[in-house]
């Protein structure tokens, strides 16, 4: 699976950005999709994820400001509003692919190349 992410950039405090990620080349069904971020000098952390059924999960730090959505089963977006300096990070798209021909099913995880989001104060 190849993941193409776009939409990062430089924005001022309180501004908005929209990240998009499109998956291609999937051999099996794509299950959950999500966004992680890695701030400078810190570990990668979950920002938001969304199931095939459209159920979202958010990190506490972004609840009420970020919205995750899926255009279809192979594309995920992250609308980021009211951005803060602490949102500055490299954002990574994440996808889980599931092969149902095995039991238990086989799960494969893929990462996008990362897109920089910088919020200036």
């Amino acid at each position: 699976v190849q993941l193409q992410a776009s939409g990062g950039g430089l924005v001022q405090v309180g501004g908005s950005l929209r990240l998009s990620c499109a998956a291609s080349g999937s051999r099996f069904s794509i299950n959950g999709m999500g966004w992680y971020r890695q701030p400078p000098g810190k570990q990668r952390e979950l920002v938001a994820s969304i199931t095939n059924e459209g159920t979202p999960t958010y990190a506490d730090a972004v609840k009420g400001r970020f919205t995750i959505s899926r255009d279809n089963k192979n594309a995920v977006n992250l609308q980021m509003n009211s951005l803060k300096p602490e949102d500055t990070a490299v954002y990574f798209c994440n996808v889980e692919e599931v092969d149902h021909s095995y039991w238990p099913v086989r799960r494969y995880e893929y990462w996008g190349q990362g897109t920089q989001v910088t919020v200036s104060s």
Side-chain angles (χ1 to χ4, degrees):
V1 175
Q2 292 78 46
L3 300 178
Q4 183 64 48
S6 61
L10 174 65
V11 66
Q12 291 187 332
V13 169
S16 298
L17 284 173
R18 182 178 177 88
L19 304 182
S20 296
C21 177
S24 61
S26 176
R27 299 167 297 166
F28 312 113
S29 60
I30 289 180
N31 193 18
M33 302 184 78
W35 290 94
Y36 286 69
R37 68 185 181 187
Q38 187 165 13
K42 297 184 179 180
Q43 291 188 336
R44 193 173 297 189
E45 60 187 15
L46 174 67
V47 176
S49 62
I50 187 166
T51 67
N52 253 350
E53 294 74 29
T55 302
T57 299
Y58 297 97
D60 288 343
V62 306
K63 283 180 180 177
R65 300 187 298 120
F66 290 12
T67 302
I68 191 169
S69 62
R70 287 178 74 160
D71 287 340
N72 51 55
K73 288 190 178 296
N74 293 345
V76 63
N77 305 303
L78 185 68
Q79 178 65 42
M80 305 185 293
N81 298 328
S82 302
L83 283 161
K84 304 176 180 180
E86 50 264 42
D87 294 318
T88 294
V90 178
Y91 284 69
F92 297 90
C93 177
N94 174 270
V95 164
E96 181 188 66
E97 187 184 40
V98 180
D99 180 0
H100 292 276
S101 65
Y102 291 89
W103 186 257
V105 299
R106 290 185 176 182
R107 302 179 186 274
Y108 304 92
E109 189 174 37
Y110 298 92
W111 294 91
Q113 79 277 15
T115 184
Q116 178 69 45
V117 171
T118 302
V119 184
S120 65
S121 56

